[in-house]
Amino acid sequence: MDADYLPFHPNPSKPAYRPPPGSVDAHCHVFGPGDVFPYAPERKYTPCDAPKEKLFALRDFLGFERNVIVQATCHGRDNRALVDALRASNGLARGVASVGPNVTEDELREMDEAGVRGVRFNFVKRLVDSTPKEVFLGIAEKIAKFGWHIVVYFEAQDLEGLIPFIKQLPTVVVVDHMGRPDIAKGVDHPDFQRFVGLMHDLPTLWSKVSCPERLSLQGPPSYDDVVPFARTLVDTFPGRVLWGTDWPHPNMKSHMPDDGHLVDVIPRIATTEEKQKALLIDNPMRLYWNT
């Protein structure tokens, strides 16, 4: 583990909000354990181990029934830890993998059988080295045959340059963490409105309304300044939003969030039972289990 790496919260609180039965934590990770699933040589950080057993225990404690596990950059394109967790989940987890341009159809089929339903394209420069967009488009063609979707991770200042690429993708596209808006600029700033406008333009574009702990300037426990951004997306696109804990919160520098507090943000961004059911059950089930 890196000397400045913050381990996940050892004793999160029980959330006051109770997710409805069947709820999905649609964005989380597994790390290692490193002696079984080594971290990638090209990684930009070395985390603490966060194995599947810890993730599943947190799922149960918080009141969720399913997980969508996203391949983390510290494991690179070695998806063995992800696939192992999916196979151990008894069908209660689906996955988003990271693959290279030389991935074979047989490899994709094996991951599909384990529960992988998407691939992640990361454009956050501090986390990964740059990949030509032509490489990503080639991967997109391969995975589209399996009915998978694409998760894209970028920061708000890079969205404008990515729009032509996103419009070329042949599948559903899910944006991580609302495109990481600059909260200080406010909901009405052109940067966030550009993202809202793109969701209006592209009916295949979805968003995760997650990670207030990464975006907030105000901080815990309520993360009030992020709520208007997430609520805007939930209210405007109720059928195309997902929520997740982001456990074990890799590369957090300001603080390590209490996952119970993150769950308690949900009813403030999805303000009716109908919106909560769409966010936590209907949307993730449609995208990850009913394919």
Side-chain angles (χ1 to χ4, degrees):
M1 184 175 73
D2 292 336
D4 63 346
Y5 188 89
L6 295 179
F8 55 86
H9 198 296
N11 189 30
S13 60
K14 193 76 171 177
Y17 173 71
R18 297 186 63 180
S23 290
V24 181
D25 174 356
H27 186 94
C28 51
H29 310 281
V30 289
F31 297 158
D35 58 349
V36 180
F37 303 110
Y39 299 110
E42 72 274 16
R43 66 189 181 276
K44 301 291 187 181
Y45 66 94
T46 303
C48 67
D49 287 343
K52 59 183 182 291
E53 295 85 0
K54 293 282 189 182
L55 174 64
F56 297 155
L58 180 74
R59 173 199 67 197
D60 296 345
F61 176 77
L62 296 176
F64 290 82
E65 291 188 14
R66 298 171 188 256
N67 299 103
V68 178
I69 306 172
V70 178
Q71 174 76 350
T73 60
C74 61
H75 276 296
R77 294 170 180 167
D78 180 351
N79 295 281
R80 286 178 296 166
L82 167 64
V83 168
D84 173 72
L86 298 181
R87 287 178 172 154
S89 75
N90 296 316
L92 296 179
R94 291 290 188 258
V96 175
S98 179
V99 302
N102 298 320
V103 67
T104 67
E105 188 166 321
D106 286 344
E107 289 170 330
L108 292 173
R109 185 174 294 107
E110 182 179 355
M111 286 189 280
D112 184 76
E113 290 170 355
V116 172
R117 293 295 181 267
V119 293
R120 192 187 202 197
F121 297 163
N122 195 322
F123 295 97
V124 179
K125 299 177 180 66
R126 59 191 161 75
L127 294 176
V128 292
D129 296 325
S130 178
T131 299
K133 293 183 178 62
E134 293 76 18
V135 170
F136 284 139
L137 290 171
I139 294 170
E141 288 184 14
K142 289 184 177 183
I143 65 101
K145 299 174 185 176
F146 290 86
W148 292 7
H149 65 277
I150 292 164
V151 175
V152 291
Y153 190 26
F154 58 82
E155 297 186 307
Q157 67 267 22
D158 299 320
L159 172 59
E160 189 169 13
L162 287 171
I163 287 175
F165 167 75
I166 291 171
K167 288 184 174 180
Q168 285 182 273
L169 295 173
T171 70
V172 166
V173 178
V174 181
V175 174
D176 276 341
H177 317 326
M178 303 184 287
R180 291 192 63 110
D182 183 343
I183 299 302
K185 293 179 177 178
V187 170
D188 295 328
H189 191 274
D191 285 356
F192 186 64
Q193 289 304 312
R194 180 180 296 115
F195 179 53
V196 174
L198 186 60
M199 288 196 68
H200 276 295
D201 292 344
L202 280 182
T204 53
L205 192 66
W206 294 43
S207 179
K208 295 175 188 173
V209 289
S210 47
C211 284
E213 73 278 11
R214 293 193 183 278
L215 304 173
S216 178
L217 300 176
Q218 177 179 316
S222 58
Y223 305 105
D224 289 336
D225 52 351
V226 182
V227 167
F229 291 80
R231 188 184 294 163
T232 294
L233 296 178
V234 171
D235 287 349
T236 310
F237 310 103
R240 289 190 275 145
V241 285
L242 302 166
W243 183 91
T245 57
D246 194 35
W247 188 89
H249 314 286
N251 292 306
M252 282 295 296
K253 301 300 183 186
S254 60
H255 69 291
M256 182 48 57
D258 178 327
D259 294 281
H261 294 163
L262 298 180
V263 173
D264 283 336
V265 175
I266 292 171
R268 296 164 56 222
I269 65 175
T271 53
T272 67
E273 289 186 5
E274 182 181 15
K275 291 173 184 175
Q276 292 161 20
K277 182 174 180 288
L279 176 66
L280 299 175
I281 303 173
D282 298 344
N283 298 346
M285 290 300 295
R286 187 167 83 251
L287 190 60
Y288 288 97
W289 273 269
N290 296 340
T291 57

